[in-house]
């Protein structure tokens, strides 16, 4: 135990090496700046103090602050010593003290102890620079000991290169692709389906047994019909291809996924708004024909879900997240403990968890229609590229176990988000051209997925760490996945659709090649060791088996609703057409009471049974069941850590048991002289959980503030000063919120 304690002390002293501003003279050391292919240094400043997140004490590390056309980086004088820890979960592209320009959220300056937002041309330069990042890191740099000219250059450079509007072609993505043209190597183990060929769509149709009613079409090859749609997609078989061209892909039901019982999930973008009565009549006749094709009761029943007018607005999502993220952008320990008193009220007022609940509830309602009522569901949205992507992905994640594997999940994102035309460039505001377009729809999706992963860990092949690094990858501009608004925009800017045949098309990396960011040892943390593999059935078990979810047999039979469904086309078509033309209407099908009854019966029945991890999977959506995604949101806050505990401690113990079982199995195999291939080892990064905290794998043990500083107005409610002193070493597990 003494040796272990000594090792722990050594690690902590190494991690928290400090230089006090009043105690130690600055000594500059040259630290190498690592540049990616095509990356250029723009400006730098020396003798910058990077503060440690410490309560009211100005401790930190001296070094250089640099800005390139890819990132802001701090090069600490003792960085080489800090980098010797082999257990760190290191990203090969982004260092611990690196911030990509796209990851910068807000920049603040401190003038005479007052914090102000920095933008545009400055008349006076701050003595302290604070950078809030979109991955929720907070960096604080003291410029008091830096030369005045260097302060002007570095502050002006950072503001300009992170806030000024950019042209697409000026993104670092293209500089990197050009410079690394001959060095780009794809990972042969990456089997993600990209859905950029007709063959990929045909494969997906065959996998889901949707090829009986739907067909893959190439009518948009070369983006001749619509720049918003991918080159290839799937439509109902009876639909004439010339209909796709009629309104440039608007008003066309596009296939997303087929259920085992034959029901399907479709999406449709609304027709453009018109004032002319003649054009409106033409559009009405067109939609009449479309619905006669897909809605043929009693054989084909379509339920419409209008996500533009009967669900969340993008403004609601943006407003909620803007409030929510402020809970985690903590400048110092004092601020942490000040907000800790009103944590629950601030969390509730943000409405972020409520928005997650509404998204999961909507996905369950659609799942109930497809699974229990055997109805097709058509999702409607103005461009079918925001909430359609979100809800259709969640439905498939709940209904299709293939989407819960890592390759299946990546293929799902490619199909529904990348090829589905989600405007990543605008929604992430990569070009800084329009702040009003910035909405974290994809991050909301990942948070919804995390709720499922957290509630049903054995059902997913990937871990929460995988989801966290995927969210971080939104802001790394060497991958093309999240930096275009549509496949057409990507292809035209990559030279694949251009007129210049002399130049070779650029090859961009996809985010799915994880070897670019992580070494094999670190990648083990992306794979869930507790994932329950689908059992392989012998011939006797396969005989007479159908592709059905195990739960369907135990669900109560739903009474026939043939009467309202038969009347749907006659009575509701006019309202539906008005909706597609952009006019608000009431609910299209079923009363809210009837929908609520069906949902509750379906939801309660599923949760009353044992979980089949390779069948239908529904989340709990009651208030206490939805939690804050602790790893993503709290990982940079030392005060929120649980020493030697949290999720990592549980996982570490389980892996130890797995290793013990594996060792016993190997001994048995040796006795039988078996020459089996060695089994995959448990991640060695987890072997010694005593040195870790709940911030793992993004940080090891960090020193927490010595004593919470609470506002005096709240002392009476919390107890006197002596009580607080006794509890100064206690930690609040915010991960269980």
């Amino acid at each position: 135990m003494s040796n272990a304690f000594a090792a722990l002390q050594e690690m902590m002293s190494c991690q928290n090496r400090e230089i006090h501003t009043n105690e130690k003279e600055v000594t500059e050391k040259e630290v190498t700046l690592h540049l990616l292919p095509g990356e250029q240094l723009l400006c730098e400043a020396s003798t910058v103090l990077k503060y440690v997140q410490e309560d009211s004490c100005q401790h930190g590390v001296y070094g250089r602050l640099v800005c390139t056309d890819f990132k802001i980086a701090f090069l600490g004088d003792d960085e080489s010593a800090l980098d010797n820890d082999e257990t760190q979960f290191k990203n090969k592209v982004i260092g611990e003290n690196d911030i990509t320009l796209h990851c910068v959220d807000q920049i603040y300056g401190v003038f005479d102890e007052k914090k102000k937002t920095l933008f545009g041309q400055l008349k006076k330069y701050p003595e302290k620079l604070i950078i809030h990042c979109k991955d929720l890191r907070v960096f604080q740099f003291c410029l008091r000991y830096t030369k005045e000219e260097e302060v002007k250059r570095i502050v002006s450079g950072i503001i300009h290169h992170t806030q000024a509007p950019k042209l697409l072609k000026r993104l670092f993505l293209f500089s990197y692709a050009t410079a690394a043209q001959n060095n780009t190597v794809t990972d042969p183990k990456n089997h993600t389906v990209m859905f950029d060929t007709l063959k990929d769509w045909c494969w997906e149709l065959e996998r889901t047994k949707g090829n009986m009613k739907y067909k893959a079409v190439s009518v948009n090859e070369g983006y001749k019909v619509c720049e918003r749609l991918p080159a290839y997609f799937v439509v109902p078989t009876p639909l004439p291809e010339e209909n796709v061209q009629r309104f440039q892909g608007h008003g066309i039901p596009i296939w997303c996924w087929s259920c085992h019982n034959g029901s399907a999930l479709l999406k449709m973008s609304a027709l453009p708004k018109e004032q002319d009565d003649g054009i409106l009549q033409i559009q009405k006749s067109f939609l009449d024909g479309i619905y006669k094709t897909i809605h043929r009761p009693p054989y084909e029943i379509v339920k419409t879900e209008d996500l533009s007018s009967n669900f969340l607005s993008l403004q609601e999502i943006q407003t909620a997240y803007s409030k929510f993220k402020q809970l985690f952008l903590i400048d110092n320990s004092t601020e942490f403990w000040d907000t800790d008193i009103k944590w629950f009220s601030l969390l509730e007022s943000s409405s972020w968890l409520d928005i997650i609940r509404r998204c999961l509830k909507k996905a369950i309602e659609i799942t109930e229609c497809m699974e229990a009522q055997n109805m097709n569901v058509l999702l409607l949205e103005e461009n079918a590229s925001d909430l359609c992507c979100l809800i259709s992905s969640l439905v498939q994640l709940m209904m299709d176990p293939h989407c819960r594997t890592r390759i299946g999940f990546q293929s799902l994102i490619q199909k529904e988000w990348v090829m589905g035309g989600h405007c990543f460039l605008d929604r992430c505001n990569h070009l800084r051209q329009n702040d009003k377009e910035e909405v974290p729809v994809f991050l909301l999706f990942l948070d919804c997925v995390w709720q499922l992963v957290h509630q049903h860990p054995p059902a997913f092949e990937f871990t929460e760490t995988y989801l966290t690094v995927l969210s971080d990858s939104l802001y790394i501009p060497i991958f093309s996945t999240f930096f275009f608004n549509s496949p057409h925009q990507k292809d035209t800017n990559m030279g694949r659709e251009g007129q210049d045949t002399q130049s070779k098309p650029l090859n961009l990396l996809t985010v799915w090649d994880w070897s670019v960011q992580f070494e094999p040892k670190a990648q083990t943390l992306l794979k869930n060791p507790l994932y329950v593999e689908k059992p392989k059935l012998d011939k006797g078990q396969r005989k007479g088996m159908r592709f059905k979810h195990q739960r369907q047999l135990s669900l109560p039979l739903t009474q026939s609703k043939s009467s309202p469904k038969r009347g749907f086309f006659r009575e509701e078509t006019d309202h539906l057409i008005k909706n597609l033309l952009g006019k608000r209407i009431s609910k299209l099908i079923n009363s809210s009471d009837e929908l609520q009854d069906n949902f509750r019966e379906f939801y309660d029945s599923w949760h009353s049974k044992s979980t089949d991890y390779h069948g239908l999977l529904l989340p709990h959506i009651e208030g206490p069941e939805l939690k804050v995604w602790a790893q993503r949101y709290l990982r940079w806050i030392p005060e929120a850590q649980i020493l030697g505990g949290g999720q990592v401690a549980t996982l570490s113990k389980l892996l130890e048991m797995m290793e013990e079982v594996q060792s016993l199995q190997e001994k048995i195999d040796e006795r039988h002289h078996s020459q089996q291939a060695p089994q995959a080892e448990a991640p060695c990064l987890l072997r010694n959980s005593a040195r870790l905290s709940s911030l793992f794998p993004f940080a090891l043990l960090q020193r927490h503030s010595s004593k919470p500083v609470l506002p005096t107005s709240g002392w009476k409610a919390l107890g006197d000063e002596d009580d607080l002193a006794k509890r100064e070493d206690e930690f609040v597990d915010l991960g269980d919120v």
Side-chain angles (χ1 to χ4, degrees):
M1 286 295 290
S2 59
N3 292 338
F5 184 70
L8 182 61
Q9 280 188 317
E10 174 63 25
M11 184 197 69
M12 290 188 66
S13 64
C14 177
Q15 259 206 312
N16 295 288
R17 190 175 286 113
E18 303 167 347
I19 304 175
H20 197 283
T21 57
N22 298 322
E23 292 177 0
K24 190 165 182 177
E25 192 175 318
V26 181
T27 57
E28 283 293 330
K29 299 179 184 177
E30 284 298 320
V31 181
T32 305
L33 173 64
H34 299 287
L35 298 175
L36 294 176
E39 185 178 3
Q40 296 181 348
L41 176 64
L42 301 175
C43 51
E44 64 178 304
S46 304
T47 325
V48 175
L49 179 70
K50 175 181 175 286
Y51 286 123
V52 175
Q53 191 166 323
E54 186 77 13
D55 176 33
S56 70
C57 297
Q58 298 186 352
H59 293 88
V61 177
Y62 278 103
R64 282 191 299 153
L65 184 61
V66 304
C67 180
T68 74
D69 56 350
F70 169 63
K71 65 178 181 281
I72 300 164
F74 177 77
L75 309 174
D77 294 341
D78 56 354
E79 189 165 313
S80 57
L82 292 172
D83 279 349
N84 287 333
D85 195 336
E86 294 182 357
T87 64
Q88 282 281 16
F89 181 64
K90 293 180 181 178
N91 190 308
K92 298 194 297 186
V93 178
I94 303 298
E96 182 184 355
N97 291 316
D98 294 345
I99 315 164
T100 66
L101 300 182
H102 297 283
C103 192
V104 174
D105 191 14
Q106 291 288 337
I107 302 174
Y108 300 94
V110 176
F111 303 85
D112 300 324
E113 304 301 320
K114 293 182 180 179
K115 179 178 166 183
K116 297 180 181 179
T117 305
L118 300 183
F119 54 88
Q121 197 73 29
L122 300 181
K123 294 181 180 179
K124 183 181 178 182
Y125 289 85
E127 59 194 40
K128 183 176 177 183
L129 191 67
I130 302 174
I131 301 177
H132 286 187
C133 304
K134 292 184 179 180
D135 62 4
L136 304 178
R137 288 180 296 170
V138 175
F139 288 86
Q140 301 186 56
F141 301 105
C142 176
L143 306 174
R144 194 175 298 161
Y145 310 102
T146 309
K147 293 178 182 178
E148 186 177 349
E149 284 303 312
E150 291 186 1
V151 171
K152 290 181 179 179
R153 277 200 301 269
I154 194 67
V155 173
S156 299
I158 288 175
I159 292 174
H160 174 74
H161 292 290
T162 58
Q163 295 183 354
K166 302 177 181 65
L167 296 174
L168 178 60
K169 279 287 191 178
R170 299 300 299 272
L171 290 181
F172 179 73
L173 181 73
F174 296 98
S175 303
Y176 179 82
T178 303
Q181 182 88 352
N182 299 321
N183 299 324
T184 304
V185 180
T186 56
D187 183 2
K189 296 180 181 179
N190 178 23
H191 301 298
T192 303
V193 183
M194 305 304 288
F195 291 99
D196 54 359
T197 66
L198 194 64
K199 184 180 177 182
D200 289 346
W201 288 99
C202 292
W203 177 87
E204 180 72 353
L205 275 173
E206 187 175 347
R207 185 187 72 82
T208 60
K209 304 295 183 287
N211 48 2
M212 300 297 291
K213 300 178 182 178
Y214 299 90
K215 62 182 179 183
V217 295
S218 57
V219 66
N220 199 38
E221 203 167 32
Y223 307 101
K224 298 175 294 206
V225 175
C226 177
E227 296 179 356
R228 177 181 52 82
L229 293 173
Y232 312 100
F233 50 91
V234 175
V235 296
T237 300
L239 187 74
E241 290 191 16
E242 54 266 24
N243 280 6
V244 179
Q245 306 175 38
R246 186 88 178 272
F247 291 101
Q248 297 184 322
H250 288 276
I252 297 298
I254 294 177
W255 176 88
C256 298
W257 182 76
S258 285
C259 183
H260 61 84
N261 59 15
S263 62
L265 185 62
L266 307 164
K267 64 182 177 182
M268 180 189 288
S269 59
L271 289 172
K273 297 178 181 179
E274 294 287 349
Q275 300 298 325
D276 185 88
D277 290 339
I279 297 177
L280 282 171
Q281 190 58 42
I282 292 171
Q283 291 182 343
K284 182 179 183 302
S285 299
F286 174 74
L287 292 174
D288 256 340
I290 294 294
Y291 270 86
K292 284 176 182 175
T293 302
I294 63 173
H295 184 78
R296 296 173 295 168
Y299 309 107
E300 292 286 331
I301 308 296
V302 175
K303 181 185 185 302
T304 306
E305 282 287 349
D306 176 24
L307 301 179
S308 292
S309 60
N310 296 330
F311 191 46
L312 289 167
S313 69
L314 296 181
Q315 183 60 48
E316 281 182 89
I317 296 172
Q318 175 62 16
T319 302
Y321 186 70
S322 295
K323 292 179 181 178
F324 179 71
K325 71 181 180 183
Q326 294 306 318
L327 296 173
F328 312 101
L329 291 168
I330 305 295
D331 287 352
N332 51 54
S333 296
T334 302
E335 188 177 335
F336 175 85
W337 293 111
D338 282 349
T339 56
D340 191 56
I341 272 184
K342 46 192 176 181
W343 163 261
F344 288 108
S345 60
L346 291 172
L347 181 62
E348 185 179 14
S349 64
S350 75
S351 299
W352 182 249
L353 290 183
D354 185 58
I355 283 177
I356 291 172
R357 183 191 62 78
R358 290 168 66 183
C359 291
L360 293 172
K361 185 174 185 290
K362 179 62 70 177
I364 296 172
E365 288 173 0
I366 293 169
T367 299
E368 187 271 333
C369 290
M370 297 177 67
E371 176 75 14
Q373 300 189 48
N374 200 14
M375 296 171 67
N376 296 333
V377 177
L378 177 65
L379 303 177
L380 298 177
E381 194 181 11
E382 184 177 353
N383 287 313
S385 59
D386 286 303
L387 298 174
C388 273
C389 301
L390 170 65
I391 298 301
S392 65
S393 298
L394 288 177
V395 169
Q396 292 174 63
L397 205 65
M398 292 178 189
M399 298 187 75
D400 190 347
H402 173 69
C403 297
R404 302 195 285 265
T405 65
R406 196 163 91 178
I407 295 299
F409 184 69
Q410 294 174 175
S411 301
L412 174 68
I413 293 173
Q414 278 294 137
K415 180 178 71 169
E416 296 298 331
W417 293 84
V418 179
M419 290 298 156
H422 181 65
C423 300
F424 283 105
L425 195 66
D426 293 341
R427 294 294 177 245
C428 297
N429 201 16
H430 289 316
L431 298 182
R432 301 282 180 173
Q433 291 181 352
N434 190 349
D435 291 346
K436 293 181 180 179
E437 292 290 323
E438 184 173 4
V439 185
V441 184
F442 186 70
L443 182 56
L444 173 59
F445 165 66
L446 292 182
D447 210 329
C448 291
V449 175
W450 180 83
Q451 302 294 334
L452 280 159
V453 170
H454 180 71
Q455 292 181 24
H456 306 288
F460 293 87
E461 191 183 25
F462 49 88
T463 62
E464 68 166 343
T465 302
Y466 169 88
L467 294 174
T468 302
V469 297
L470 181 58
S471 72
D472 292 342
S473 301
L474 281 169
Y475 314 112
I476 304 179
I478 66 171
F479 306 110
S480 63
T481 312
F482 304 130
F483 275 83
F484 293 100
N485 282 338
S486 66
H488 168 262
Q489 187 184 52
K490 176 184 174 183
D491 287 349
T492 51
N493 284 282
M494 297 307 295
R496 294 173 188 169
E497 296 292 323
Q499 300 297 321
D500 185 8
T501 55
Q502 300 297 320
S503 60
K504 184 181 177 183
L506 292 174
N507 261 338
L508 289 183
L509 295 171
T510 73
V511 74
W512 314 127
D513 188 353
W514 293 106
S515 61
V516 174
Q517 294 192 66
F518 302 105
E519 297 290 353
K521 183 193 296 184
Q523 287 185 60
T524 57
L525 293 175
L526 307 183
K527 187 174 182 180
N528 182 12
L530 306 180
Y531 173 62
V532 177
E533 296 276 359
K534 190 171 184 178
K536 294 181 179 179
L537 305 175
D538 57 33
K539 293 180 180 179
Q541 287 175 298
R542 286 197 189 103
K543 189 175 180 181
M545 195 174 173
R546 297 182 180 181
F547 291 93
K548 288 195 175 184
H549 297 298
Q550 298 301 310
R551 294 183 179 281
Q552 190 189 20
L553 301 177
S554 63
L555 290 174
L557 293 173
T558 306
Q559 290 185 350
S560 172
K561 296 181 179 59
S562 57
S563 179
K565 289 175 186 173
R566 287 197 185 99
F568 165 74
F569 191 75
R570 292 195 304 273
E571 299 168 14
E572 301 288 351
T573 301
D574 288 341
H575 296 288
L576 179 61
I577 290 169
K578 286 179 183 177
N579 180 59
L580 285 168
L581 299 180
K583 297 180 181 179
R584 288 180 175 272
I585 63 169
S586 58
K587 300 278 185 180
L588 297 178
I589 306 176
N590 297 343
S591 68
S592 58
D593 291 340
E594 180 184 14
L595 185 65
Q596 193 65 33
D597 290 344
N598 289 340
F599 168 81
R600 179 51 62 183
E601 183 182 15
F602 179 76
Y603 179 82
D604 290 343
S605 176
W606 190 89
H607 283 291
S608 68
K609 312 294 181 183
S610 59
T611 305
D612 172 16
Y613 293 120
H614 294 282
L616 187 64
L617 195 72
L618 301 183
H620 289 278
I621 58 172
E622 291 81 8
E625 298 293 343
L626 296 181
K627 301 181 184 298
V628 171
W629 182 0
Q631 187 189 71
R632 183 180 194 275
Y633 299 120
L634 294 169
R635 56 186 158 151
W636 311 121
I637 304 177
E639 290 80 8
Q641 70 181 327
I642 308 169
L643 305 181
Q647 195 89 359
V648 64
T650 305
L651 187 58
S652 178
K653 291 298 180 185
L654 287 168
L655 289 174
E656 285 177 17
M657 292 174 62
M658 289 174 65
E659 282 186 308
E660 189 174 346
V661 170
Q662 182 179 309
S663 175
L664 291 171
Q665 182 64 51
E666 287 173 357
K667 290 179 180 179
I668 294 172
D669 291 342
E670 284 177 12
R671 290 189 178 184
H672 290 84
H673 306 287
S674 175
Q675 299 295 323
Q676 292 185 356
Q679 300 291 317
E681 290 189 6
C684 58
L685 297 179
L686 284 172
R687 295 279 169 89
N688 188 2
S689 62
R691 326 176 45 210
L692 309 176
S693 79
S694 56
L695 305 181
F696 182 85
F698 298 96
L700 296 178
L701 284 174
Q702 296 190 16
R703 180 167 55 202
H704 57 281
S705 56
S706 58
K707 183 176 180 179
V709 180
L710 300 169
T712 54
S713 59
W715 281 22
K716 291 182 180 179
L718 294 173
D720 58 26
E721 200 169 352
D722 292 335
D723 291 334
L724 290 174
K726 292 176 184 176
R727 296 182 300 193
E728 66 181 69
D729 291 325
E730 293 180 4
F731 294 87
V732 180
D733 180 11
L734 298 182
D736 288 335
V737 171

